[in-house]
Amino acid sequence: MASGLIATMGLAAAALIDAAPARAQASGCEKMQALLQERQSLVASLNAATKSKRKLTPQQACSTMTKLVGNGTTTVKFATDNQDWCQIPPSFIDGMKADNQKAAAIRTQACNAVKQQAEMMRRAQQQAQGSGNPFAGGDAITGGGMRIPQGAL
């Protein structure tokens, strides 16, 4: 009976020793799982926004896409650096790079829309204040004030 217990403990110890490299490997690769979960939540929020009645504003789209591209860049770097250790297939890294490039293109469009919107708002404010309005009369085009004629009229 005692020899059976020792044999069982010996097998358990052997399994523990054999599993030690796998634990070390898994502990180093946990960051990849966290990055992928963060990416999944960002994509889910984008998908939910496109399906909802209330669409994303350009500012929200730019912000979310910037986070997604940042996550993609970090994920690709981590996957490339730890490809052998974490046993990440090259096809996964290539797919992530392609997805990240698509996301970067969409981010560029969204952030350009934000810039255009801000420029239009700035111009509207200037026109409302009357500055830069060529139809203000007098010498407003050249920057001078309106002159009052001198002498008899």
Side-chain angles (χ1 to χ4, degrees), residues 39-118:
R39 185 170 189 82
Q40 186 177 13
S41 71
L42 288 169
V43 170
S45 70
L46 286 170
N47 287 337
T50 57
K51 292 178 183 177
S52 73
K53 291 180 182 178
R54 193 177 60 116
K55 302 294 181 191
L56 288 175
T57 65
Q59 292 86 354
Q60 292 169 330
C62 179
S63 173
T64 305
M65 292 305 295
T66 299
K67 290 176 189 174
L68 187 66
V69 170
N71 173 276
T73 302
T74 304
T75 303
V76 168
K77 182 178 180 342
F78 182 84
T80 303
D81 292 348
N82 297 292
Q83 182 176 5
D84 295 332
W85 180 254
C86 297
Q87 300 174 356
I88 300 169
S91 60
F92 173 81
I93 296 172
D94 293 340
M96 275 298 297
K97 286 179 183 177
D99 285 347
N100 207 40
Q101 288 174 347
K102 289 177 187 175
I106 294 169
R107 176 198 60 188
T108 300
Q109 291 174 350
C111 293
N112 283 342
V114 170
K115 290 176 188 174
Q116 289 174 350
Q117 187 178 32

